[in-house]
Amino acid sequence: MTRAFDLNLRHLRALSAIVAHGSMNAAAQAVNLSQPALTQGLAKLERQLGTALFVRRPDGVTPTEAGLVMAGRATAALEHLTIATARRSARGFARPEHLMTASQLHAFLALADAGSFVGAAAATGLSQPALHRAARDLEQIGGIALAERRGRGVTLTAAGRRLARGIRLAAREIEAGIVELSGTTDSGRIAIGAMPLSRALILPHAIAAFVGGTPRALVDVAEGSWRELVEPLRDGVIDLMIGALRDETPEGLEQRALFADRLVVIGRAGHPLASVANPTLDALSKYRWIVGQEDTPLRAHWDALFVGRHRPDAPIECGSVMVIRGVLRESDALILLSPDQVALEIESGILTAIGPPLEHGVRTIGITTRVGWRPTAAQARFVALIEQAAEHTRIQEIK
């Protein structure tokens, strides 16, 4: 199967020019290629993609639907590279991304991911001299250092990290275009960042429905806290995050609310407060607590719960539901949590809600994506299934 780095960047860059001008000659002038070179490059691109991108006519060329799709994806991909190379030293060229090749970008991204020339060589099959040359050429093109040697490994500079992010996002756009041109709606890849303290039922239900109707798609789920997942989202390693939304939308990201999650205090079934219908805050403060990490919505709700009064001991900061369940079973510790996170333990009589749901203990659960993210058909279907699962959960709560 054709991969993003198999395609020539100059030929991809020319697609939007061909669409705009409707002429191979005018497009060739716009991208500084000869008309024969552009014609040959377009023919090669169409062979690699397995479809016609333009219809040749005596008076010019007209883009096919596939041509419009790929031109749009290519433009978005190249914009990521433009942004990534916008900050450069005085030695930099006016448009350094125009001089970069796909093989150079592939090699540098492998180096960024592996953290060493040895690891990058093993991952790509390229020789270490070829990897060194690619990194050096990119530094000369941009006029700025991208990586520094640290022992046997390398550390990216700020410019190197920006470039790695731009390459990865560009590759995701081109790969999405390749999937769309394949003519199927049940293939491709979706990478999901699942926050461990989000609703436990929505994601499994959506994935089960998705793989049943999209058999050739690959679902990759990474679990972590918001702070662990936000940079992979920005980098294009994951496509979306599902979990508690931030009060202020972070720069470069978009948030879409799904439902409001009402928190309760959870403890073991035999907890001294289990039989108290509505325990006071003073009673709750006499026990040790498990809390979320700083700067998380869950932690903010816990802080607000005891504002202006004595705060109980909270010796455990944890985001792992598995660990939380174990600690609650083995002690009188308490935690502020969504009951769905421990639904099985509550149903089996191991854990229980301590008192009623908190009046102000509401957090918004939703989807976070990059600004401008354009999902493939399969990815859009998955998002729709997430929304359906969330709506079903909301209706069940109303009932």
Side-chain angles (χ1 to χ4, degrees):
M1 178 181 175
T2 301
R3 307 295 297 179
F5 295 115
D6 295 333
L7 306 181
N8 187 295
L9 290 182
R10 297 190 73 183
H11 299 158
L12 289 173
R13 187 175 295 111
L15 292 181
S16 60
I18 300 174
V19 171
H21 293 282
S23 162
M24 294 296 290
N25 185 48
Q29 294 180 16
V31 297
N32 296 317
L33 285 173
S34 67
Q35 182 174 339
L38 180 57
T39 300
Q40 293 175 9
L42 178 59
K44 179 180 179 181
L45 197 58
E46 290 177 322
R47 287 196 302 272
Q48 290 175 299
L49 296 173
T51 187
L53 300 178
F54 295 90
V55 176
R56 281 73 169 171
R57 304 182 185 279
D59 58 344
V61 292
T62 302
T64 63
E65 182 178 350
L68 291 174
V69 168
M70 202 63 202
R73 289 290 185 182
T75 298
L78 295 167
E79 180 62 20
H80 286 303
L81 294 179
T82 298
I83 293 172
T85 57
R87 300 177 183 177
R88 53 192 180 274
S89 71
R91 292 179 55 207
F93 293 91
R95 298 299 297 272
E97 72 277 10
H98 285 192
L99 303 177
M100 297 174 177
T101 67
S103 59
Q104 290 171 339
L105 299 183
H106 182 207
F108 183 76
L109 185 57
L111 177 62
D113 289 340
S116 71
F117 287 99
V118 173
T124 62
L126 297 172
S127 67
Q128 291 189 49
L131 291 165
H132 279 280
R133 184 165 55 253
R136 185 173 61 251
D137 289 347
L138 287 175
E139 289 182 327
Q140 291 177 345
I141 290 172
I144 194 168
L146 299 174
E148 299 173 348
R149 280 188 172 276
R150 296 289 174 86
R152 295 185 177 180
V154 295
T155 299
L156 298 186
T157 64
R161 291 192 296 272
R162 286 195 302 272
L163 180 58
R165 172 176 291 177
I167 296 171
R168 191 176 287 106
L169 292 174
R172 292 288 180 267
E173 283 286 351
I174 296 171
E175 288 167 358
I178 293 171
V179 169
E180 290 172 326
L181 264 60
S182 69
T184 63
T185 60
D186 64 348
S187 63
R189 169 184 177 273
I190 181 164
I192 307 154
M195 295 182 224
L197 294 182
S198 63
R199 286 280 179 122
L201 300 179
I202 291 177
L203 187 56
H205 285 176
I207 291 177
F210 180 72
V211 297
T214 318
R216 292 192 292 175
L218 173 65
V219 180
D220 183 2
V221 181
E223 187 179 31
S225 65
W226 186 89
R227 68 180 68 185
E228 292 169 331
L229 296 173
V230 66
E231 290 308 311
L233 175 63
R234 288 190 170 115
D235 282 344
V237 175
I238 59 178
D239 300 307
L240 58 89
M241 291 195 300
I242 303 173
L245 302 183
R246 269 39 201 172
D247 291 336
E248 295 184 6
T249 303
E251 182 180 359
L253 302 179
E254 293 179 337
Q255 297 187 140
R256 184 187 315 174
L258 293 174
F259 59 87
D261 181 34
R262 188 169 292 278
L263 303 172
V264 299
V265 178
I266 300 291
R268 66 180 179 88
H271 195 281
L273 295 180
S275 59
V276 179
N278 195 357
T280 65
L281 290 178
D282 287 337
L284 293 172
S285 66
K286 293 178 180 179
Y287 296 89
R288 291 187 170 185
W289 283 71
I290 305 170
V291 296
Q293 294 179 323
E294 292 283 356
D295 302 324
T296 63
L298 197 64
R299 179 61 173 269
H301 281 292
W302 185 82
D303 289 336
L305 185 63
F306 294 100
V307 68
R309 62 175 61 241
H310 172 71
R311 288 168 48 136
D313 291 336
I316 304 173
E317 290 187 2
C318 184
S320 168
V321 176
M322 183 176 296
V323 173
I324 289 169
R325 289 167 179 164
V327 174
L328 292 177
R329 287 196 301 264
E330 300 296 327
S331 70
D332 284 338
L334 299 173
I335 188 171
L336 200 58
L337 201 64
S338 166
D340 282 345
Q341 292 297 126
V342 287
L344 292 178
E345 285 79 0
I346 291 176
E347 291 175 5
S348 62
I350 298 174
L351 301 179
T352 187
I354 306 296
L358 301 180
E359 182 179 354
H360 301 293
V362 178
R363 59 178 180 169
T364 303
I365 304 300
I367 297 173
T368 305
T369 60
R370 293 182 298 278
V371 171
W373 179 56
R374 299 187 302 166
T376 62
Q379 291 168 341
R381 179 172 179 268
F382 179 81
V383 171
L385 289 171
I386 286 287
E387 293 172 337
Q388 289 175 19
E391 180 63 15
H392 176 74
T393 298
R394 190 185 68 80
I395 292 174
Q396 290 301 110
E397 288 182 346
I398 293 174
K399 291 180 179 179

